[in-house]
Amino acid sequence: MPAAVVFDCFETLIMSPPLPGPETFTTRLAEVLRVDQRCAAQTVDTVYTAVFAAMSDRSALQPPTIGLLDAALRKQGEQRSRADLEEALWHALGCTDADQYALCEPVADAMRRAADAGHTVRLLSNCYLPGNLMRRLLRRTGVPEVYDRALFTADGGPKKPDTRAFELIGAGAFERRVMVGDSEELDIAPAAALGWDTVRVDAADPDPARLLTLLEL
């Protein structure tokens, strides 16, 4: 029977080394937004503090990254267009670095096969890039465009492991829902608690065979 198959993004569908740290983030922010290092450092500190506080509380809603960045700059008398803010995030989070993000081909192939078999494919990602930039990154890394919906937490709202995030992305008249992800805490346990089937992907040795068996592909 057709199912909703929800894929996590990072370390499941897209592999990435650790993101650039605050110092790199600050330098790139200063360069792209043409602000001094002091302003950039204060902005980064404000944004990191707010995001970390939200991520540390399972039930807290994640604030929109663009909104945090905009508010932090305005507080210091700096105003930039949304396009400029997005470009700053794109650079600061390593999206222009050739070796920062790479497609996990075995999981991408499973994603294609699930869609070809008539299952509904969706994405759920705890992230810092807003949705339009996430989609840009997905296209750049070659993620198959076979998903019908995505929930990117940087746009604001509930994030994993909050069950509200799973309920939102799993909405619809499905008899089965499957979560595919690398994290027991963020992906697998909360989905299983809702009665979903789960497939854990080992980022060091990704093998979606269990998903293909589960979906009888």
Side-chain angles (χ1 to χ4, degrees), residues 32-45:
V32 177
L33 296 180
R34 301 174 303 283
V35 297
D36 61 38
Q37 284 288 320
R38 179 204 58 77
C39 177
Q42 181 58 54
T43 299
V44 169
D45 182 65

Side-chain angles (χ1 to χ4, degrees), residues 91-213:
H91 282 262
L93 291 172
C95 298
T96 58
D97 299 346
D99 58 351
Q100 182 65 49
Y101 301 100
L103 181 68
C104 179
E105 279 290 357
V107 176
D109 179 62
M111 187 178 175
R112 294 187 197 95
R113 293 174 66 177
D116 288 346
H119 299 290
T120 297
V121 174
R122 293 178 176 173
L123 302 178
L124 171 59
S125 180
N126 283 7
C127 57
Y128 307 112
L129 289 168
N132 60 324
L133 294 187
M134 279 295 296
R135 290 180 176 86
R136 179 179 168 186
L137 178 62
L138 296 176
R139 289 192 297 270
R140 201 197 77 176
T141 53
V143 170
E145 295 188 39
V146 296
Y147 55 95
D148 81 328
R149 187 183 302 176
L151 193 160
F152 300 123
T153 65
D155 287 329
K159 81 283 181 190
K160 301 180 294 183
D162 191 328
T163 55
R164 290 174 294 180
F166 293 85
E167 290 166 349
L168 282 171
I169 198 61
F174 301 106
E175 293 187 22
R176 299 175 64 204
R177 292 169 179 80
V178 184
M179 182 67 206
V180 184
D182 68 296
S183 172
E184 178 67 31
E185 178 186 4
L186 299 180
D187 302 316
I188 304 305
L194 290 172
W196 293 25
D197 292 319
T198 61
V199 176
R200 186 171 184 182
V201 173
D202 180 355
D205 184 22
D207 180 4
R210 183 169 181 274
L211 173 63
L212 302 182
T213 300

